[in-house]
Amino acid sequence: MAVSFVVNGEERRSAADQMTPLVDVLRDEFFLTGAKAACREGACGACTVLLDGNPVVSCLVPVGMLEGREVRTVEALAPTEELSPVQQAMEEHDVVQCGMCFPGIVMVLTSFLAECPQAGPDEIKTALVGNICRCTGYERVVDAAVALAQRR
Amino acid sequence: MTLADASNVTMNLPRRDARDKLLGRTRYTVDRKHPGMLHAALRRSDIASARIIKVDITDASRMPGVRAIALAADAPGMHGIGIADHPLFARDAIRFHGEPIAAVAADTQAQAQAAAAAIVVETEPLPAVLSMADALAPDAPLVHPEWRSYQVLVEGGVRGGNVAWEATVIRGDTEAAFARDDVVVVESCFRVGRQNHVSLEPRAVVASYEDGRYHIETSTQVPWTVRAMTAKLLGVPAAQVRVTVPPVGGGFGQKFDCTLEPYAAILARKTGRPVRLVYSRQEEMLTCLCRENAEIKIRSAVTKNGEIVGREAVVLMDCGAYGGEQIFLTTMTAHTLGGNYRLGSVKLASRAVYTNTPPNGAFRACNGVYNTFALERHTDEICQKIGMDPLEFRRRNVLGDGDIGATGQVFEGDVLGPMLDRMKRWRETAPSRKSLAARRLYGRATVVGTWFIFVGPSTATINLNADGSATVITAGVEIGSGTMVQALPQIVAYELGLHPDQVVVRSADTDAAGFDLGVGGGRTTVSIGAASRAAAEDVRRKLLAVASEMLQTPPDRLKLASGRVEIAGKEGSGTSIAAVVQRAHEVIGPVVGSGAFTKPGVTAMPGCAAGHFIDALDLPVFAVHDCEVAVDPDTGHVEILSYKVVQDVGRALNPRAIHSQIQGGVTQGLGYALHEELTIGQDGCIRQNSLETYRVPLALDTVPVEIDLYEGAPSIGPLGAKGAGEVPILNVPAAVGCAVANAIGRRVQQTPLTPPRVLGLLLGREPDVDLPHIGDDWWDNVLMKRPS
Ligand code: FES
Ligand code: FES
């Protein structure tokens, strides 16, 4: 039985097995490879997408649960190549290294800063607790997010 | 953001790859897909040591979607570093839990996995040696009973039984030094566990076979190694293998070897279709080429006023079931554990030991991180014994201009001393965070570290285009450190008077670029940078010859700046570089330059070092770290209160990029110092099979790293630069270990310093590390014979 749901504003159908993790449907069926399946066990956050506006690790979401729901992936943040404010802050602070973690980090921060636009460093670190970055040591990620929050 | 003047090589050039990475558009190897692509899975052993009786693929090959199965017979060759001891698939013997036995290609990943599981492997269990102590026991079973028959790739290492390789240093008479009556003898033992890289992009490859050649797209740091090793394993000429490298999602040394590429290559050839193989996180946890576990015994004879007259040490490095990188890394002990300090006489033994455990590999500042931990903790134990201030002791003994290192190489320039002075002043002027410790135990330590950049061969070609842009072709890989997107364009632009944005850097392709040793050890900026600079000089010479004629001015009066050739002193009187290139098309043809670089060949003292791949290292890099900690006496939890780094960078081409390397490297080191460790179970399987059980630093663990870049040390690197990405991790367990020891007043002999371990130390319940399998007489620990 196919599942219908909205991905980045478009109605999509997937005929994948109901238990297929959303990240595989996004990457293999829809060719949205922004979300990374870096651990497939919910521990790294690299596969984070927004489900009905809330960040979820898409490796743990079976596609069968998605009927009628709305998914936003990193590809939707900047459809016209104009970076979103979070992405812009990361670029300005020269935060990116290998980059594998950033699609997830950007999604988490986007949703978190929408809720807590004035967050301070401790809150931002707490928000990022589900995202592993092996390259940057997080310091500059947090600095960039704090700078963005202060600008608001 | 405004850019610094392009005529000045030092600038905080932003990364050109950041935007796509933030947009989720970057296509790493794991994101690559081709029409008709198959998926591969490996069948691995679930036993640590066994004889293979039968591998039966009858049922598996009839399963849905299965297109091909590869077995040992498909890969006749053996590979290795120094010794060819490693087959691609287990043949007759299984030597570690997780060893590949077969590879399956199928239409889907699930089908490939199902078929791999359905392969019948009949085995007869054999006794396994799971620790180095077991492996070195007198009657230990041999991991490689046939070790004598292996092809030796590099001469010089002493081998025997479970000792895969032994490197030694003997300089001066330590026996006499230890026998002196005016010395104190201090002996220390240390043990460290394995560290997993946890690159967020796992090892991944897509291989295809077209027109009689293999094309391997892979997430690697070493395209030329993959080319050579794949060919050797498959028994085909190396020219039949092409390796290209998409952006790499983290390496840290894990991808410094050929690993999964040959499986995909064989399957691609068998099926005629592209084959993708990506290791799962669990496979990465269980078989990643970790930083090896190691055991170190070190003793020193030191005079009352702190002169180190003799030092002896034995370092055991667990290479796992196959020698791999550890064979090479035995070389490093001379330069890491044997580094930092002036030594009157020295004996070092560095041994790679076979065990029936997953093979280890390279990890950022390989060998150096734990040896620096051991050396600096030992140094503090010496200071305590002779009653000398640790900073004072270090200031007196660190290697300076004209001093000789462990293997007798002569050091150039005073670097560590002034760096220590700088840290001392910084400590005195910056307020201590001691008050933050409140009722917890407070400790502080300043430690030094010596790393050496492996330089070695690199080459570059530069095409100067008729639009005034330049294309740089090298086999360098962008693994995240920024070298290929920042340092290289900066160096080439500087040389050619361009803006870095006008420098295109081609991604690695062994069909396009010449040989390169690979990205690792901090060598990229140095070696590829130097080769690119040489290529740019070649281009510059040709360009100026043509311009000289156009402008009727001798070349030595011409300058390249801002995309123009100008006559010196008469700005605006010249012409654009593009116009000169267009003119060149008519008179000499397109402007192309090439450059090559290799090690300059610093020499050691003859006869000091045996079994070393490199007797003397060409480019030392130094670091001084200072750390303040608070230890909770009730829980053993260690909090880092402050962390300061003075790092020798030669010349900082891009300070902002170097800072981010230091922040990331220190954090990775804090993980290793405080909580990262893989352990081996009774069955020989690594116990931590997921990111739930192996804890890496998270955002809440972030420590603000304070950084001071030390410039001006001698360097053979381009424009005086040194690699900056490797070194930041080097001193971290040392700094934390020494600070914790100072806080709790106990010997710290192991990492990681997890709360239970620290609490155990505080309560006197943590057993001493005494390493009985390392004999007290140095000569009892080496295969080489004691001179009679
Ligand atoms: S892949 Fe989903 S959390 Fe790691
Ligand atoms: S930038 Fe590499 S994992 Fe975050």
Side-chain angles (χ1 to χ4, degrees), chain A residues 36 38 41 98 134 138 140, chain B residues 28 31 197 656 676 691 697:
Chain A
K36 306 297 179 204
E41 58 193 13
C98 87
R134 197 53 163 163
Y138 308 97
R140 223 180 261 185
Chain B
Y28 303 86
D31 301 318
H197 311 72
R656 190 169 65 162
E676 289 183 36
L691 294 173

Side-chain angles (χ1 to χ4, degrees), chain A residues 97-99 101-102 133-136, chain B residues 200:
Chain A
Q97 292 189 31
C98 87
C101 63
F102 275 98
C133 173
R134 197 53 163 163
C135 300
T136 65
Chain B
L200 272 212

Side-chain angles (χ1 to χ4, degrees), chain A residues 36-40 42-45 47 57 59:
Chain A
K36 306 297 179 204
C39 73
R40 310 180 71 85
C44 75
C47 65
V57 281
C59 63

Side-chain angles (χ1 to χ4, degrees), chain B residues 83-262:
Chain B
I83 299 295
D85 61 0
H86 196 169
L88 187 63
F89 294 103
R91 284 179 200 159
D92 309 317
I94 287 169
R95 297 193 179 84
F96 72 93
H97 196 294
E99 181 158 17
I101 297 166
V104 181
D107 292 347
T108 71
Q109 180 72 37
Q111 288 168 338
Q113 280 163 346
I119 294 172
V120 179
V121 181
E122 247 179 73
T123 56
E124 176 193 315
L126 293 173
V129 285
L130 300 181
S131 70
M132 293 193 284
D134 288 351
L136 294 176
D139 48 357
L142 294 186
V143 179
H144 292 267
E146 62 284 59
W147 65 270
R148 281 193 180 82
S149 68
Y150 292 154
Q151 185 194 357
V152 175
L153 306 171
V154 173
E155 297 289 340
V158 183
R159 304 185 295 135
N162 284 329
V163 177
W165 193 273
E166 178 177 289
T168 47
V169 175
I170 300 179
R171 177 168 63 70
D173 186 350
T174 53
E175 276 90 352
F178 280 94
R180 273 168 61 161
D181 54 11
D182 62 338
V183 298
V184 175
V185 173
V186 180
E187 181 178 298
S188 320
C189 292
F190 302 96
R191 179 190 294 136
V192 297
R194 296 187 186 195
Q195 185 182 23
N196 190 304
H197 311 72
V198 191
S199 306
L200 272 212
E201 185 190 32
R203 283 169 290 173
V205 60
V206 180
S208 48
Y209 186 74
E210 293 155 11
D211 298 330
R213 298 181 76 222
Y214 299 88
H215 177 197
I216 295 175
E217 279 182 288
T218 181
S219 184
T220 190
Q221 298 171 235
V222 285
W224 277 87
T225 304
V226 171
R227 179 183 185 269
M229 293 278 198
T230 302
K232 189 169 188 326
L233 283 161
L234 272 55
V236 301
Q240 281 181 16
V241 182
R242 173 188 177 202
V243 179
T244 58
V245 188
V248 173
F252 316 115
Q254 180 197 19
K255 298 169 182 169
F256 201 74
D257 206 349
C258 175
T259 54
L260 78 179
E261 293 87 355

